Amino acid sequence: MPSAPVSTQFAEGRNAYHPRHVPANEQQNLKRIAVLLPFNSTNAEVQRQSKGIYNAIQMALFQVGVKDVVLMPRDATSPDPQIIQGVAEDAVRDGAVAVIGPIFAPQVPAVAAKAAQVRAPVLAFSTDASAFGQGAYLVSLTPTSEVERIVDWASKDGVTRFTMLGPDNASGRSIEQALRQEVTERGGQVVSVEYYTPGNASPQEQARRLAKVIEAENRAYPGKVAVLIPESGVQLRSVGSLLRAIANVTPREVRFLGTGQWNDADIWREPSLYGGAFPAPDPVALGDFEKRYQAIYGEAPPKLASFGYDAGALAATLAANERLDSAMIQRPQGWSGVNGLFRFQPDGSVERALAIMQLQNTGGVKIVSPPLQAFAAGS
């Protein structure tokens, strides 16, 4: 997206959205931010996430303290890109200078195409790396950035031989691609990858094949071998337990690595995963946000709510200062959010300063590598 300000051709027009609670003499200074989320989804979890994101965006506007920014919530439930494009076009013609959302990857290009007509940035929540670009930025935490952080940590700790056991789906394949790229850049080698049918809680054949490789690698390169398991929930506990039993190794011998899907208290109580490590946002900053959200709304925030807060705070701050240009959004020093430090790359991807958490035999976790507090100049 060109480094130029957002066009106000619609924001200053008669058809721009004028909220009733704002006096007529203040309407001309308003900055309108569209929020495109699947508010009307029939999926209870999707609806819960949408509500949480919107609640957090409102929190951000209040706590940032901007007075000339208003939200325009629009439903983005339909899977039809043409309908979503129409929703985005209506938002732009109602004066939107920025768009927060959507959630689903296939919707992002359609929204970005319409927002680009006025150079309005799009802050989306998809974790699919194929969704960014064309003026769209991914605010959420992507598996690619998680893999980069965990591989970097493991490599600096002496690991040079990497393996992976994961589900055979689009996410698993994309994580393998990221793993190979990050390991190669650090001079290591991915020596084996095994896939199983998603949902198979006991992929014994795949686990046995991988176990043989792990045992051989560990004999040749003791203390330098790791296995990445990009799974979550009960499935992770089952697969992790199976691999640990078959491979006949201890956490001291072979590193068990995970993604952000491991950031789950139920996972931390699984003995077979003790000693394993995974990347996660700064738990201190995130914990503070969760307490504030709970105090305001009387319930714990859903997973995506914190990213909604970061998007809302950033969009509101830049809109109020009339700096919604790409140069400002992509500033090298990045931005501080409730998920920690983050910054956007020119292609729309996000770099996040993540911590590395390690599972303890007490059933909890501890930080073994804190997140960056500042991005290096020129990096």
Side-chain angles (χ1 to χ4, degrees):
M1 184 172 68
S3 185
V6 177
S7 169
T8 57
Q9 61 174 305
F10 296 117
E12 296 175 351
R14 292 182 179 180
N15 294 327
Y17 168 66
H18 297 292
R20 294 179 181 178
H21 68 279
V22 178
N25 63 335
E26 297 179 12
Q27 298 278 357
Q28 61 181 1
N29 297 318
L30 286 181
K31 314 298 189 307
R32 300 164 180 84
I33 298 176
V35 182
L36 273 58
L37 297 172
F39 293 109
N40 296 332
S41 174
T42 55
N43 182 304
E45 178 57 22
V46 171
Q47 200 171 85
R48 189 176 79 91
Q49 293 290 345
S50 299
K51 177 184 176 184
I53 291 172
Y54 192 66
N55 284 345
I57 294 171
Q58 293 182 93
M59 265 181 71
L61 262 63
F62 176 77
Q63 292 173 353
V64 168
V66 294
K67 296 181 180 180
D68 59 351
V69 173
V70 294
L71 300 177
M72 299 192 303
R74 303 294 167 89
D75 180 60
T77 300
S78 175
D80 187 337
Q82 288 189 325
I83 293 178
I84 295 302
Q85 195 169 55
V87 173
E89 182 173 18
D90 286 345
V92 167
R93 290 188 175 277
D94 280 347
V97 295
V99 179
I100 298 178
I103 290 178
F104 304 119
Q107 299 175 331
V108 177
V111 173
K114 287 300 177 183
Q117 293 179 357
V118 292
R119 295 188 293 274
V122 175
L123 303 176
F125 300 105
S126 170
T127 58
D128 187 340
S130 67
F132 56 70
Q134 303 180 63
Y137 299 92
L138 294 191
V139 184
S140 43
L141 184 57
T142 63
T144 300
S145 57
E146 294 174 335
V147 170
E148 178 182 7
R149 178 65 169 105
I150 195 68
V151 168
D152 186 64
W153 172 77
S155 298
K156 289 176 179 176
D157 206 39
V159 175
T160 60
R161 318 292 286 183
F162 290 81
T163 65
M164 174 179 147
L165 178 63
D168 189 3
N169 54 26
S171 176
R173 295 287 175 177
S174 110
I175 287 174
E176 179 195 354
Q177 183 179 1
L179 176 66
R180 291 188 181 280
Q181 177 178 331
E182 298 301 330
V183 169
T184 300
E185 287 180 0
R186 290 162 179 78
Q189 186 174 347
V190 177
V191 293
S192 181
V193 174
E194 288 287 344
Y195 285 109
Y196 52 82
T197 302
N200 181 0
S202 186
Q204 297 196 22
E205 181 181 348
Q206 294 86 349
R208 285 195 181 94
R209 284 199 299 264
L210 189 64
K212 289 181 180 179
V213 173
I214 289 175
E215 289 169 350
E217 290 291 329
N218 193 46
R219 285 193 297 269
Y221 306 92
K224 298 182 180 296
V225 185
V227 56
L228 176 65
I229 311 176
E231 266 290 7
S232 63
V234 175
Q235 182 72 14
L236 170 59
R237 298 174 69 175
S238 299
V239 172
S241 180
L242 175 66
L243 184 59
R244 179 61 55 79
I246 292 177
N248 191 32
V249 294
T250 69
R252 293 181 180 179
E253 295 175 314
V254 173
R255 297 295 179 87
F256 273 42
L257 308 177
T259 62
Q261 297 178 93
W262 286 37
N263 198 8
D264 177 347
D266 288 337
I267 296 299
W268 305 343
R269 293 190 287 270
E270 173 54 49
S272 67
L273 297 174
Y274 289 167
F278 64 92
D282 181 353
V284 176
L286 187 56
D288 178 64
F289 162 76
E290 291 171 345
K291 289 178 182 177
R292 287 185 285 133
Y293 186 102
Q294 177 88 38
I296 295 172
Y297 297 108
E299 60 184 14
K303 185 176 181 180
L304 291 178
S306 61
F307 297 106
Y309 185 97
D310 285 352
L314 176 60
T317 299
L318 295 183
N321 290 283
E322 299 185 356
R323 285 304 310 271
L324 282 164
D325 55 280
S326 60
M328 189 62 172
I329 294 172
Q330 298 167 22
R331 68 178 191 176
Q333 67 266 43
W335 304 92
S336 179
V338 296
N339 290 286
L341 191 67
F342 67 98
R343 66 179 173 183
F344 295 110
Q345 302 300 323
D347 65 359
S349 61
V350 65
E351 179 182 357
R352 286 192 171 274
L354 301 173
I356 296 294
M357 316 293 288
Q358 187 175 55
L359 278 67
Q360 305 297 297
N361 57 14
T362 57
V365 294
K366 76 172 184 179
I367 298 176
V368 292
S369 178
L372 290 174
Q373 297 303 307
F375 290 116
S379 65

